[in-house]
Amino acid sequence: MSSDAPAIELKGISKSFGPVQANKNISIRVAPGTIHGIIGENGAGKSTLMSILYGFYKADRGEIWINGTRTEIPDSQAAIAAGIGMVFQHFKLVENFTVLENVVLGAEDSGLLKPSLARARKELKMLAQEYELNVDPDARIDEIGVGRQQRVEILKALYRQADILILDEPTGVLTPAEADQLFRILHRLKEEGKTIILITHKLREIMEATDTVSVMRRGEMTATVKTAETSPEHLAELMVGRKVLLRVDKVPAKPGKTVLEVENLRVVDDKGVERLKGVDLTVRAGEILGIAGVAGNGQSELLEVLGGMREGAGTVRLNGAPLALSGPGSDGQARRAGGIAHVPEDRQREGLIMEFHAWENVAFGYHRDPAYQRGIFMNNAALRADTERKIEKFDVRPTDGWLSAKNFSGGNQQKIVVAREIERNPDLLLVGQPTRGVDIGAIEFIHKQIVALRDEGKAVLLVSVELEEIFSLSDRIAVMFDGHIMGERLPDETDEKELGLLMAGVSGEAA
Amino acid sequence: MDRMPKWADVVLIPLISLILAAILSALVIIGIGEDPVAAVKMMVSGALGSTYGWGYTLYYATNFIFTGLAVAIAFHARMFNIGGEGQAMLGGLGVAVACLYVPWPHWSIAILGASVAAMVFGAAWAAVPAYLQARRGSHIVITTIMFNFIAAALLNYMLVNVMRPEGSMDPATRSFPEAVHLPTLHDLLAPIGITFSKAAPANVSLVIAVLACVVVWALMWRTRLGYEIRAYGHSETGAIYAGISPFRITMIAMLISGALAGLMAINNVMGEAERLVLNSTEGAGFIGIAVALMGRSHPFGVFLAAILFGFLYQGGAELALWTNIPRELIVVIQALVILFTGALDNMVRMPLERIFMAMGNKRRNIGETNPLPDAEHSTKTE
């Protein structure tokens, strides 16, 4: 490996999808044996750039140089041959195969499996020693945790002789402790001479893990700086193109009467797995209760039961009156009539009908409201007028209510959902991952709206996997693990480390 | 951004599919030593060259409008109703019962009664697969196909053992009474001075079919129920989020679908045969699938596609009558059209999408100074 040639050099890469230019004339150089971060909002073009590097897309223009030689990468086979390995945000593992089988899959030596598996077993042992990447080769993927699954992805890349490792939003599904572990592994890989590209939208990870960082905004590379010479505020400014508040300005909560009481709430999912194992919590008027936890520990089911999307057992009272948890009267319509609004976790599959016009989506869930009816027909004119109002008030762009929901960016889609739910002036607002896949500018706006609702004396139940979001919005924090509430903390009296332990199921000394 | 302008999706793709099917059909005709140009001329003159031809074309089209709408409604709720054939057979049974056992004073009242009977019978036949899908998760494609066979067997039994007039060797009901005979287009158009062929079977049901198109359009795009059906069809989790019951929508959409398929019987049974015979549907239930696919599940598209298939049916019959092209080959040509416009839709769509994307890029590169439209970079590009 020559030390003067960059491990990766991109020269003038451009890529368009129809009228949208995802990458505009992008050039970067990544020195070998370094960790290079690429940061940018959703839609900035990070993933497109990496997909070009991994051979999923073909650049319209530009050159790729690997270790000083110009390289064409028409497909992922070529990328692997050039020594590039990719760890995707959503793992590409076969769940009912073992670790060993997954590592070998697609890289078998011959038609017979046995020799390949034997060779892989030996290789894995060596890799485990070299990089401290310990995984039981005979464990089935669906039996090991996400942290380990990610290690299998890294092992897959290393087994294919990757010298350059690209990780796309690797910490999205990890606990803080697992993320720390991942970064230790990455440092170790770097020490062994591997080059790592880390794609993320989390400023903290960039600051902690990288040597250099490139900022992308709207398809352009706006800056490349040494991490040591920058600050989170500066990076945020480069990402958004203006100064941003990283913390939400809010006055202390003035909690009033109890709005939501949950006692011994249990949920069994379609596969018969118990997802909520007796949850107790209360939310009072004028406060935000934040539920922290690693994705998949029952938070989604909690929101779904309360929002009428799923049946459960136990006791839930809204303003003192019990809610039906199964059978008639337990659906989303009944919840809305009772004064519960719901910003669901997955706006694209739940909160919006992507093929519907914006104006059709503005009534979604409230489409039986008499205000939207005219005799046996729907009053589409009223809907469109309502949409115009909300688009203006919530600064949705583009402002054309006739566009389909799928034609809006993530942030603007979410604004449509938030506008719809908050404008109903609910007693209780359920919010799931309000800013997932939302650009920083819109995050700020959405956070302000949620806090404003709280200040009007409404109760808010917030579920988020982003600890930063939990800390900046919540008046109280409850941590969920394995279908239980592990404990409750006040944001001023706790820190990420303590919450991280609770999220991992370790009940702290005071829990 | 959408990958293609809407007009390309609605007009260009069906058109290209049709042309491809035509080319392949032409090759087949050449292959058996006949002249494709002469064949096309024969089809056009046979189906559209006279009011007699038009009368048959529109008669077939009427059948296909009903079954096409039936399939389209189910499509909107993301269900594939392959049972239009059986539902239409049952509709025929309903019409026969209504016409034979109720003494109607006049056709105008009889057609209302027969319509209700046809819809009820068709909907009832769709209700069982719908219930099994909604409650038990039995796949609607499988159950509706099987119900086609059951319907055929049931009709067989009814016509042979129950409704066949004494002494008749023909598995069919007796003819309906004079009072319920529907006016043909000849009867309808004569008062306003248009002479239309007396022999052609197109009748007043065509008007009801067109009305059905309007009603279905209003239902899907102007009412709350249509809103809920479309929402459910696009995203089941979305529907659950909004408090729309999947069970309710599945049942209602399939009942409407079955009712529309059943309604076809006022055309073929009441309007044309004027009695119920075996295999009265002649595959119209299946043609409805192609019609709905080609018509993009929109009533107006269904109307146009139904007329096209009506033309193919009538033109094909003429071809078989007057040329050496065997009847089986006509079926092959019709099948090619169904194959290209329905099943192979993506074969045309994908390259076309690519062309439009490339054209979009070129336009961008020429107008480099255009700023990136705000917020148009959807998550798709990430």
Side-chain angles (χ1 to χ4, degrees):
Chain A
M1 191 180 307
S2 64
S3 56
D4 46 340
I8 301 173
E9 182 169 15
L10 302 179
K11 293 182 181 173
I13 297 278
S14 293
K15 174 78 190 170
S16 301
F17 296 96
V20 179
Q21 198 160 9
N23 285 161
K24 257 186 266 183
N25 195 25
I26 287 178
S27 303
I28 45 171
R29 300 158 67 96
V30 180
T34 62
I35 300 184
H36 186 96
I38 294 183
I39 193 164
E41 299 182 306
N42 287 287
K46 306 177 300 247
S47 298
T48 304
L49 187 64
M50 289 307 118
S51 299
I52 289 170
L53 191 51
Y54 200 62
F56 281 165
Y57 295 139
K58 196 181 170 335
D60 300 335
R61 271 195 305 256
E63 299 172 3
I64 300 171
W65 292 65
I66 308 284
N67 294 325
T69 26
R70 174 142 187 219
T71 312
E72 292 286 337
I73 304 183
D75 53 33
S76 55
Q77 289 298 326
I80 292 168
I84 300 173
M86 183 125 173
V87 175
F88 293 93
Q89 192 173 358
H90 302 286
F91 306 147
K92 316 253 184 237
L93 297 170
V94 182
E95 296 229 322
N96 52 359
F97 274 19
T98 64
V99 171
L100 197 61
E101 287 168 330
N102 267 288
V103 168
V104 171
L105 188 66
E108 302 90 347
D109 302 325
S110 65
L112 289 176
L113 263 187
K114 231 177 176 169
S116 306
L117 287 174
R119 188 172 74 84
R121 190 181 292 277
K122 231 187 282 169
E123 191 100 352
L124 277 190
K125 210 177 218 174
M126 272 165 50
L127 288 172
Q129 274 166 8
E130 206 172 340
Y131 302 110
E132 290 165 33
L133 278 161
N134 284 313
V135 190
D136 173 9
D138 296 314
R140 262 173 44 165
I141 293 299
D142 52 9
E143 288 166 352
I144 61 178
V146 274
R148 278 171 192 274
Q149 291 181 7
Q150 194 170 51
R151 276 188 224 171
V152 177
E153 284 284 11
I154 296 174
L155 281 169
K156 265 169 66 180
L158 295 176
Y159 182 73
R160 287 158 178 75
Q161 318 280 323
D163 280 320
I164 299 160
L165 209 56
I166 305 169
L167 293 103
D168 189 5
E169 302 279 358
T171 59
V173 288
L174 304 182
T175 63
E178 284 173 325
D180 285 344
Q181 238 165 9
L182 171 70
F183 290 132
R184 271 205 300 280
I185 292 170
L186 294 186
H187 275 288
R188 183 69 199 234
L189 288 166
K190 179 177 104 170
E191 280 165 23
E192 300 290 331
K194 306 280 183 198
T195 308
I196 292 160
I197 295 185
L198 177 68
I199 304 167
T200 180
H201 66 277
K202 291 180 188 166
L203 291 166
R204 200 173 59 100
E205 293 173 2
I206 289 289
M207 298 309 293
E208 272 176 21
T210 64
D211 300 308
T212 48
V213 53
S214 297
V215 183
M216 288 191 73
R217 170 153 50 99
R218 294 198 174 180
E220 286 179 277
M221 195 131 276
T222 50
T224 298
V225 291
K226 285 207 162 63
T227 310
E229 294 167 6
T230 184
S231 66
E233 287 75 17
H234 182 225
L235 286 178
E237 203 181 319
L238 286 171
M239 274 164 73
V240 186
R242 62 182 169 83
K243 284 208 182 301
V244 266
L245 280 170
L246 286 177
R247 282 258 157 185
V248 184
D249 266 335
K250 63 178 175 88
V251 294
K254 294 186 272 301
K257 65 180 177 60
T258 301
V259 172
L260 178 73
E261 285 169 273
V262 175
E263 279 169 30
N264 193 24
L265 182 60
R266 291 170 183 277
V267 165
V268 178
D269 71 9
D270 308 333
K271 290 178 189 152
V273 180
E274 197 169 33
R275 290 292 178 178
L276 293 185
K277 302 172 177 174
V279 167
D280 299 285
L281 55 85
T282 58
V283 189
R284 297 164 68 184
E287 73 163 357
I288 300 173
L289 174 67
I291 309 265
V294 179
N297 277 288
Q299 307 97 306
S300 308
E301 286 78 7
L302 177 64
L303 281 183
E304 285 168 6
V305 171
L306 295 176
M309 296 175 66
R310 189 185 271 285
E311 301 197 330
T315 314
V316 177
R317 277 186 292 271
L318 183 71
N319 293 321
L323 291 182
L325 294 179
S326 61
S330 70
D331 67 358
Q333 286 296 320
R335 294 291 195 269
R336 284 175 179 81
I340 298 180
H342 183 187
V343 177
E345 289 188 306
D346 189 338
R347 65 178 161 270
Q348 303 201 340
R349 286 179 62 239
E350 299 165 357
L352 296 167
I353 299 294
M354 299 306 278
E355 290 81 2
F356 272 18
H357 302 297
W359 64 263
E360 287 175 299
N361 272 304
V362 156
F364 192 50
Y366 302 97
H367 54 276
R368 296 186 195 166
D369 186 328
Y372 295 141
Q373 319 296 322
R374 195 181 52 201
I376 61 165
F377 295 113
M378 289 200 55
N379 190 347
N380 289 348
L383 275 177
R384 286 195 280 268
D386 196 23
T387 305
E388 240 166 71
R389 228 173 18 248
K390 282 174 180 152
I391 280 181
E392 199 191 319
K393 188 168 174 191
F394 283 76
D395 190 29
V396 177
R397 275 180 273 177
T399 55
D400 183 359
W402 279 96
L403 286 177
S404 301
K406 65 178 177 210
N407 290 339
F408 289 88
S409 69
N412 284 297
Q413 287 172 358
Q414 189 71 329
K415 279 182 182 176
I416 294 174
V417 177
V418 169
R420 180 180 74 210
E421 300 302 321
I422 284 188
E423 288 289 288
R424 302 305 296 198
N425 202 18
D427 290 339
L428 169 67
L429 178 69
L430 308 171
V431 197
Q433 321 296 352
T435 54
R436 177 186 279 169
V438 168
D439 37 86
I440 289 200
I443 289 178
E444 209 183 342
F445 184 85
I446 289 167
H447 280 174
K448 274 187 189 155
Q449 298 298 324
I450 293 171
V451 171
L453 190 75
R454 175 202 78 162
D455 291 342
E456 281 172 33
K458 310 296 183 179
V460 178
L461 180 68
L462 164 76
V463 166
S464 176
V465 290
E466 304 277 353
L467 269 185
E468 254 180 86
E469 181 162 77
I470 292 282
F471 266 108
S472 66
L473 282 180
S474 311
D475 300 310
R476 276 187 300 134
I477 300 173
V479 181
M480 269 191 96
F481 172 75
D482 193 27
H484 295 284
I485 300 282
M486 291 297 292
E488 261 186 47
R489 298 285 186 273
L490 294 175
D492 301 335
E493 295 169 8
T494 185
D495 53 25
E496 293 202 357
K497 206 171 156 202
E498 191 190 13
L499 290 189
L501 282 174
L502 289 170
M503 282 160 68
V506 184
S507 47
E509 47 290 331
Chain B
M1 273 307 288
D2 290 325
R3 287 154 182 268
M4 267 193 306
K6 192 147 190 177
W7 63 267
D9 178 44
V10 178
V11 180
L12 209 53
I13 291 180
L15 211 63
I16 293 176
S17 304
L18 204 59
I19 291 169
L20 287 176
I23 291 172
L24 217 60
S25 304
L27 290 179
V28 172
I29 292 173
I30 292 171
I32 62 162
E34 292 283 328
D35 177 6
V37 178
V40 170
K41 274 188 189 153
M42 172 75 70
M43 282 180 81
V44 171
S45 73
L48 311 174
S50 63
T51 57
Y52 173 83
W54 269 105
Y56 266 98
T57 299
L58 290 177
Y59 161 74
Y60 290 125
T62 307
N63 285 343
F64 303 153
I65 289 174
F66 285 122
T67 54
L69 287 176
V71 177
I73 288 245
F75 271 156
H76 279 292
R78 209 173 16 182
M79 277 181 293
F80 207 156
N81 177 15
I82 302 196
E85 187 77 4
Q87 290 144 18
M89 282 185 203
L90 264 285
L93 192 60
V95 165
V97 169
C99 290
L100 289 172
Y101 301 116
V102 182
W104 301 101
H106 189 258
W107 69 266
S108 57
I109 305 167
I111 196 172
L112 293 180
S115 295
V116 170
M119 290 198 285
V120 167
F121 273 62
W125 204 247
V128 182
Y131 182 85
L132 290 174
Q133 168 79 62
R135 273 284 181 263
R136 298 261 157 244
S138 316
H139 204 288
I140 199 110
V141 168
I142 310 288
T143 46
T144 48
I145 287 180
M146 298 203 294
F147 263 67
N148 286 338
F149 289 101
I150 303 174
L154 176 68
L155 265 271
N156 214 335
Y157 171 81
M158 291 301 287
L159 290 178
V160 170
N161 298 315
V162 183
M163 299 175 91
R164 181 170 52 94
E166 208 138 323
S168 165
M169 302 286 280
D170 190 16
T173 66
R174 65 185 157 87
S175 288
F176 298 160
E178 192 74 33
V180 305
H181 288 188
L182 295 181
T184 61
L185 285 193
H186 168 81
D187 305 328
L188 290 174
L189 294 174
I192 52 171
I194 301 171
T195 38
F196 202 87
S197 165
K198 237 178 180 166
N203 60 76
V204 70
S205 304
L206 175 64
V207 179
I208 294 185
V210 173
L211 274 179
C213 287
V214 177
V215 169
V216 166
W217 171 80
L219 173 76
M220 292 313 292
W221 282 279
R222 285 294 179 274
T223 71
R224 202 171 71 192
L225 178 63
Y227 180 95
E228 294 193 350
I229 290 175
R230 286 184 297 126
Y232 171 77
H234 285 304
S235 166
E236 183 172 355
T237 47
I240 294 169
Y241 160 78
I244 298 166
S245 155
F247 174 76
R248 186 172 152 266
I249 296 299
T250 302
M251 288 304 293
I252 291 179
M254 277 305 286
L255 288 178
I256 297 175
S257 178
L260 282 166
L263 194 52
M264 182 192 113
I266 60 167
N267 187 48
N268 66 334
V269 176
M270 192 177 183
E272 198 255 348
E274 294 171 345
R275 60 182 187 144
L276 182 59
V277 298
L278 265 187
N279 192 25
S280 57
T281 49
E282 294 178 297
F286 296 114
I287 301 290
I289 297 168
V291 167
L293 282 171
M294 194 172 184
R296 293 284 174 276
S297 298
H298 191 284
F300 187 63
V302 165
F303 176 78
L304 293 182
I307 294 202
L308 172 77
F309 276 91
F311 158 76
L312 285 176
Y313 248 56
Q314 171 56 15
E318 290 286 313
L319 215 51
L321 200 58
W322 301 109
T323 67
N324 290 328
I325 300 173
R327 175 126 199 115
E328 286 69 29
L329 205 70
I330 311 302
V331 180
V332 169
I333 291 171
Q334 284 159 358
L336 280 172
V337 174
I338 295 177
L339 195 66
F340 274 89
T341 57
L344 294 181
D345 186 69
N346 271 342
M347 195 180 76
V348 176
R349 178 182 300 273
M350 307 269 265
L352 208 60
E353 273 181 1
R354 228 168 282 144
I355 291 169
F356 271 98
M357 301 251 281
M359 272 169 24
N361 284 349
K362 208 173 278 169
R363 235 177 291 136
R364 274 217 64 74
N365 293 344
I366 293 165
E368 199 80 288
T369 46
N370 286 354
L372 188 66
D374 223 302
E376 271 201 358
H377 41 122
S378 63
T379 45
K380 215 185 283 165
T381 58
E382 253 287 328

